[in-house]
Amino acid sequence: MGSDAQSATTVLVTVTGRDRPGVTSVLLAALARHHVSLLDVEQVVIRGRLTLGVLVECPSDPEALQEALEGAMATVGMNVDVEIGAGAAERPAPSTHAVVVLGSPVTARSFSRIASELAKQGANIDSIRGIADYPVTGLELMVTASDTSEETNGRLRTGLSELAMAEAVDIAVERAGLARRAKRLVVFDVDSTLVQGEVIEMLAAHAGVEDKVREVTESAMRGEIDFTESLHQRVATLAGLDASVIDEVAEKLELTPGARTTIRTLRRLGYHCGVVSGGFRQVIEGLAHELELDFVQANTLEIVDGKLTGRVVGDVVDRAAKAVALRRFADQVGVPMEQTVAVGDGANDIDMLNAAGLGVAFNAKPALREVADTALSHPFLDAVLFILGVTRHEVEAADAVDGLVRRVPL
């Protein structure tokens, strides 16, 4: 029987070895000489080691194709495995969830337990890639769950959240697909989130009442007392302070590690960024301007004759007001709520995180961790980028391009 009468044969070609220029072109040139049709291609490089898989349909002699491929790949020092009759070319259904694992380090034991938990819940790992090696190790697992119901989604999050606590890693679970990369508005709390420490405690230090104010702050952040009442109590202790302390405190604000990188990268990617704070507008406005934030919502300290009166002006930005502000920001820029992200650390952020499409608890109190979609326990705010699917390589590449543009004379 002539070769043109033969039925086409499916062939899986797997090339492995040290990555180098020209491997793919040599492989495809050999395939082209046998007039194959490409059905699927997948490639991964880990620490300079290449694995390249190509699924083809061969219309003629597959043994001749195998011999040709072995000879061609030998010329570039690569190993090749050829499986003839590899089965029908069925492209798998898209993954249902993205699971991001962050740790310093991520141990083999931790990853093994995560894989076991996924298997226990009937979820299959489709692919794994490294997304960060600094300031934490980040791995992204694309996973297919048994179904896409809210019940299944909740079980995945609960099971992996408990495991994260036990293994001292952070694990975020999100539905996969376009919705994950469609986030367009990110709002941050300020105190102990965007900046280190609590602004009101810094102001209180000038009045000699820092310990008293810190005690009330911690009680409010744990959700033990009403935030509005706690704010009034704390601000009252500042009565009589010279207004110049506001500028002194503003100059001493320290951004959380990774905060500047996070805001800069989000803005480059087209996100709108803002802050919603139970702190004070007069203290944070300069920082918000420096970071080129789109929105600022915070309390306003009353000042009379150059002195703090111990009162705030206007409505208090409390737990409920934070969620209202997030919705208002989203409406102003035409972003649906499911495309918003809120990041905070205390009980007064609960409503805001619940309202957002993705709520992230950052080094948070237990009350907030319990309701957040995901929790981050490492003190690096740029971990938020990894949760959103942005890799460390993409961050550094954007920095390099921006630096080059800035050096080009106009």
Side-chain angles (χ1 to χ4, degrees), residues 238-249:
L238 307 179
L241 275 179
D242 194 288
S244 62
V245 302
I246 291 176
D247 293 333
E248 293 178 30
V249 168

Side-chain angles (χ1 to χ4, degrees), residues 27-46:
L27 172 65
L28 292 178
L31 292 172
R33 286 192 287 271
H34 288 259
H35 308 291
V36 306
S37 300
L38 292 178
L39 301 177
D40 200 2
V41 180
E42 190 165 342
Q43 174 177 308
V44 63
V45 178
I46 301 178

Side-chain angles (χ1 to χ4, degrees), residues 6-324:
Q6 297 176 359
S7 60
T9 304
T10 303
V11 178
L12 176 61
V13 182
T14 306
V15 175
T16 57
R18 184 157 297 281
D19 192 24
R20 67 193 67 193
V23 172
T24 302
S25 62
V26 169
L27 172 65
L28 292 178
L31 292 172
R33 286 192 287 271
H34 288 259
H35 308 291
V36 306
S37 300
L38 292 178
L39 301 177
D40 200 2
V41 180
E42 190 165 342
Q43 174 177 308
V44 63
V45 178
I46 301 178
R47 294 292 188 267
R49 301 292 298 183
L50 168 72
T51 299
L52 170 62
V54 183
L55 185 65
V56 302
E57 201 168 60
C58 180
S60 54
D61 184 358
E63 283 81 8
L65 172 63
Q66 178 175 1
E67 184 177 343
L69 289 172
E70 290 171 348
M73 300 321 296
T75 66
V76 286
M78 303 297 286
N79 301 313
V80 62
D81 179 74
V82 179
E83 182 183 345
I84 298 173
E90 295 183 3
R91 185 172 292 276
S95 302
T96 61
H97 293 79
V99 177
V100 175
V101 182
L102 304 174
S104 183
V106 176
T107 66
R109 166 195 158 90
S110 297
F111 197 82
S112 173
R113 293 193 65 186
I114 292 166
S116 295
E117 177 65 24
L118 289 169
K120 175 182 173 183
Q121 298 199 33
N124 183 64
I125 300 175
D126 302 322
S127 65
I128 304 170
R129 67 167 180 157
I131 57 173
D133 56 7
Y134 172 84
V136 294
T137 298
L139 300 172
E140 180 187 75
L141 289 66
M142 299 309 297
V143 171
T144 298
S146 54
D147 62 68
T148 57
S149 67
E150 282 301 322
E151 182 180 358
T152 298
N153 196 48
R155 282 200 309 269
L156 275 174
R157 278 184 170 156
T158 299
L160 292 174
S161 175
E162 292 173 354
L163 187 56
M165 293 287 288
E167 292 295 319
V169 295
D170 294 332
I171 305 176
V173 180
E174 274 199 88
R175 292 188 183 280
L178 289 176
R180 183 181 178 220
R181 294 300 293 265
K183 304 293 191 300
R184 282 296 170 262
L185 169 63
V186 185
V187 170
F188 299 88
D189 174 43
V190 175
D191 294 2
S192 299
T193 302
L194 189 66
V195 304
Q196 300 181 63
E198 299 287 324
V199 167
I200 196 166
E201 292 177 10
M202 297 171 69
L203 292 169
H206 288 267
V209 292
E210 186 177 8
D211 290 343
K212 179 180 178 180
V213 166
R214 182 183 294 114
E215 183 180 334
V216 178
T217 298
E218 291 176 351
S219 181
M221 296 301 281
R222 290 192 298 267
E224 296 171 353
I225 61 174
D226 174 74
F227 177 82
T228 301
E229 177 57 31
S230 76
L231 180 69
H232 288 312
Q233 288 181 24
R234 290 175 291 169
V235 173
T237 67
L238 307 179
L241 275 179
D242 194 288
S244 62
V245 302
I246 291 176
D247 293 333
E248 293 178 30
V249 168
E251 290 176 1
K252 293 179 181 178
L253 290 179
E254 292 187 28
L255 286 167
T256 298
R260 196 178 298 277
T261 295
T262 302
I263 299 295
R264 181 177 66 242
T265 302
L266 289 172
R267 290 186 57 78
R268 286 172 178 166
L269 293 174
Y271 287 76
H272 300 282
C273 300
V275 291
V276 181
S277 175
F280 310 108
R281 177 179 286 272
Q282 294 104 315
V283 178
I284 65 176
E285 272 189 330
L287 180 62
H289 178 74
E290 177 188 341
L291 295 175
E292 301 182 18
L293 298 178
D294 300 297
F295 313 101
V296 178
Q297 182 73 30
N299 294 301
T300 302
L301 290 166
E302 184 180 60
I303 301 172
V304 176
D305 297 328
K307 303 287 185 181
L308 302 187
T309 67
R311 295 185 295 270
V312 294
V313 179
D315 295 333
V316 170
V317 179
D318 58 7
R319 171 173 160 174
K322 285 193 167 191
V324 171

Side-chain angles (χ1 to χ4, degrees), residues 337-394:
M337 286 302 293
E338 58 267 24
Q339 293 180 5
T340 66
V341 181
V343 186
D345 75 304
N348 63 323
D349 296 311
I350 288 176
D351 289 7
M352 181 171 72
L353 265 66
N354 277 335
L358 175 65
V360 181
F362 180 74
N363 290 298
K365 309 300 185 293
L368 187 63
R369 293 180 66 96
E370 290 175 5
V371 303
D373 295 311
T374 189
L376 298 174
S377 60
H378 294 88
F380 308 106
L381 198 61
D382 39 353
V384 172
L385 297 172
F386 309 144
I387 299 298
L388 295 175
V390 181
T391 70
R392 171 56 62 184
H393 176 75
E394 289 168 334

